[in-house]
Amino acid sequence: MTRAAVAAIDLGATSGRVVVGRFDADAVRLDVVERFLNNPVRCWEGTTDGLHWNVLELFRSALVGLRKAVIDEPDLRSIGIDAWGLDYGLLRGGALLSNPYSHRDERTIEGVRATHELIPQKELYAASGIQFMPINTVYQFTADRLAGRVQAGDTALLIPDLMGYWLTGVPVAEHTNASTTGLLDIHTRGWSTEIANRLGFAASLFPQLVEPGTMLGPLLPTVQAEVGGQIPVVTVGSHDTASAVVGVPARDDEFAYVSCGTWALAGVELERPVLSEAARVANFTNESGLDGRIRFLQNITGLWLQSESIRTWERAGLQIDLPALIREAAALRRGSVFDANDPRLLTPGDMPARIAQCCVEANQPVPRTLAEVTRAINESLAEAFAHTVRTASELSGKTVRAIHIVGGGSQNALLCQLTADRSGLPVIAGPVEATALGNVLVQARTGRLISGSLEAMRSVITRSVTLQHYAPRG
């Protein structure tokens, strides 16, 4: 392994950061040089009210982080970008038309109805292999078309591709993120002209597809001046879950993963997609991973349930110490279980009240205290993780002997232990920074700082991080 450093721009749905990955002595070390919030804003564009991402502020914050990274490491080899999926910016003549909508904006309701009038959901699944969620890109595109926001000559760039475009001036669609849109052909791995034509989209809306590990280009002169260096940009698994799955420190292939952040994505890694009717009915998705792997998984409403509950309590004037609250929840004998994927839990609002209603309908005790709500959230997420892993194994035929929990949820000992208990499988927790690790490892392989297969890349992680192990209790 060559001693060198790369920079990762890692954007999540609630926060972002710029991370420097340093490779030395057959191991990798991450240092966060900049953290910043990512809060959607509700604003008006003309007469349309909507929930939008402040992408210009995200880009500014990323540039601040890159400048700090260059100061720390003047000889950075490359930059890679990952972000959440589904959302996109519309460009006309190379310029962004407006702040991108958040997938939590309510406009997708009409998009679902109008899309399925043209292409039934069963046909969409057969063509794209993507699970049904009302927030999917395909429904957002239809909503924008109906509202007259999409015109001939427009270009749609998913969030990490938009950031890459602003850094280099090169518009592309990285494959792992494009595969989440519902607009790729799962069989050809290219944009589906049939879906686009039937839904009334121009083929020119979608840019050229590229794989992780593609050299995108040098920084634009204006960006060079801003960050203080000339650094090439490399495509990585730009969907944050794709990078997180690269960052799973598995020693063999008999594992399931849960990438747990604002969203939780649970599933298995496969060589080929599963397109059975049973998989469609179970609402599993087939997304692209590194080196042609398939991420066969299901989206679960993750730590959003906890963070939105905390926002509700703080608006009421309460001060929340989350680690102390989790310890208090862990001391309870048991907790209520509700459907963590109930669509009523997707949008901002009074989350504890919605959880209480879900518990009533599930004939579960209504959580009254903050600790009881927290315990119910963790019990329900653990049950969702366990159920999803069992179902993924059954549908795919993949043997699962352990569950890896990576991302922010790996720090929650209560959630990890409850997942082990409810699944009957050992849980390996960590790394927290799996997404950033996956990002920098793909850059390192592209730059020939390391070599080898995906499994070889994961072995670098096992030599670099400390993991926590949870055995099922009875």
Side-chain angles (χ1 to χ4, degrees):
M1 177 181 289
T2 304
R3 180 180 296 182
V6 300
I9 300 172
D10 177 22
L11 303 178
T14 56
S15 65
R17 64 266 183 88
V18 176
V19 180
V20 173
R22 294 180 170 88
F23 293 85
D24 188 22
D26 211 26
V28 58
R29 186 181 85 249
L30 298 182
D31 293 299
V32 179
V33 296
E34 181 73 2
R35 293 185 185 273
F36 42 92
L37 293 176
N38 179 19
N39 292 318
V41 292
R42 189 166 292 281
C43 56
W44 288 260
E45 296 179 0
T47 59
T48 303
D49 177 21
L51 194 65
H52 298 263
W53 298 110
N54 190 352
V55 290
L56 291 175
E57 176 60 21
L58 285 179
F59 186 66
R60 185 200 67 81
S61 298
L63 292 180
V64 170
L66 288 177
R67 184 167 185 82
K68 291 181 179 180
V70 170
I71 291 172
D72 278 2
E73 289 284 352
D75 295 322
L76 282 175
R77 297 293 186 89
S78 62
I79 299 167
I81 309 162
D82 67 76
W84 71 96
L86 306 177
D87 298 331
Y88 55 89
L90 285 171
L91 289 79
R92 188 171 302 153
L96 186 68
L97 293 176
S98 64
N99 273 325
Y101 276 95
S102 165
H103 53 268
R104 297 191 189 276
D105 184 80
E106 294 84 357
R107 85 195 198 287
T108 59
I109 296 172
E110 176 61 18
V112 171
R113 183 200 62 77
T115 297
H116 288 172
E117 283 185 353
L118 296 169
I119 308 178
Q121 198 275 328
K122 190 172 183 177
E123 288 187 41
L124 273 177
Y125 190 82
S128 69
I130 299 302
Q131 72 182 107
F132 170 74
M133 293 192 298
I135 59 178
N136 284 350
T137 310
V138 62
Y139 305 126
Q140 296 194 51
F141 272 142
T142 299
D144 280 342
R145 180 180 62 78
L146 293 173
R149 285 187 286 267
V150 182
Q151 298 180 17
D154 288 352
T155 300
L157 293 179
L158 295 161
I159 298 299
D161 299 324
L162 178 63
M163 296 291 163
Y165 174 66
W166 282 341
L167 288 176
T168 66
V170 180
V172 299
E174 189 280 317
H175 204 279
T176 67
N177 210 2
S179 73
T180 71
T181 63
L183 293 159
L184 285 192
D185 186 317
I186 189 68
H187 306 286
T188 67
R189 302 184 79 250
W191 293 114
S192 173
T193 54
E194 180 182 358
I195 292 176
N197 290 339
R198 290 175 66 178
L199 295 180
F201 304 135
S204 60
L205 183 67
F206 313 117
Q208 175 190 356
L209 286 162
V210 298
E211 295 295 328
T214 300
M215 191 63 69
L216 195 57
L219 296 176
L220 291 167
T222 52
V223 179
Q224 292 181 41
E226 184 75 19
V227 304
Q230 171 55 285
I231 314 157
V233 177
V234 171
T235 60
V236 297
S238 70
H239 187 233
D240 51 10
T241 306
S243 279
V245 173
V246 172
V248 171
R251 295 182 181 274
D252 57 46
D253 68 348
E254 295 183 332
F255 72 93
Y257 56 81
V258 180
S259 176
C260 185
T262 302
W263 283 97
L265 298 100
V268 294
E269 189 174 67
L270 304 175
E271 297 293 333
R272 57 186 62 85
V274 179
L275 300 172
S276 64
E277 179 64 6
R280 184 190 72 82
V281 171
N283 213 27
F284 269 75
T285 198
N286 296 271
E287 298 173 358
S288 294
L290 189 68
D291 295 347
R293 307 288 176 92
I294 295 293
R295 294 177 285 132
F296 184 62
L297 60 86
Q298 194 170 63
N299 285 55
I300 300 165
T301 305
L303 297 178
W304 160 260
L305 299 173
Q306 187 74 69
S307 60
E308 192 63 13
S309 294
I310 289 173
R311 274 189 282 271
T312 299
W313 294 328
E314 289 179 338
R315 283 194 294 267
L318 300 176
Q319 292 185 341
I320 305 300
D321 180 343
L322 181 57
L325 186 58
I326 289 175
R327 289 193 297 271
E328 188 179 348
L332 299 175
R333 290 187 59 192
R334 62 176 63 88
S336 298
V337 178
F338 59 88
D339 179 6
N341 283 328
D342 190 301
R344 290 172 294 183
L345 306 178
L346 286 175
T347 55
D350 188 344
M351 192 61 67
R354 294 176 184 172
I355 288 171
Q357 182 60 37
C358 289
C359 289
V360 169
E361 294 171 6
N363 294 317
Q364 293 281 299
V366 175
R368 303 293 182 185
T369 68
L370 273 61
E372 288 175 348
V373 173
T374 299
R375 181 60 182 254
I377 288 171
N378 282 273
E379 291 276 10
S380 302
L381 288 177
E383 176 57 30
F385 296 169
H387 174 76
T388 301
V389 167
R390 282 194 298 270
T391 306
S393 177
E394 293 167 0
L395 291 171
S396 67
K398 179 73 174 280
T399 299
V400 174
R401 300 192 188 280
I403 300 174
H404 285 265
I405 296 182
V406 300
S410 67
Q411 296 178 298
N412 184 335
L414 174 60
L415 178 59
C416 294
Q417 185 61 63
L418 290 174
T419 301
D421 295 343
R422 289 182 171 272
S423 68
L425 294 169
V427 166
I428 300 102
V432 177
E433 306 287 359
T435 300
L437 280 167
N439 182 319
V440 302
L441 283 167
V442 171
Q443 291 186 66
R445 191 174 71 171
T446 304
R448 298 184 179 179
L449 306 179
I450 62 173
S451 61
S453 65
L454 177 52
E455 288 73 22
M457 295 165 71
R458 287 173 173 154
S459 69
V460 175
I461 302 173
T462 61
R463 292 190 293 270
S464 306
V465 301
T466 301
L467 305 173
Q468 298 296 321
H469 295 256
Y470 299 85
R473 302 175 298 190

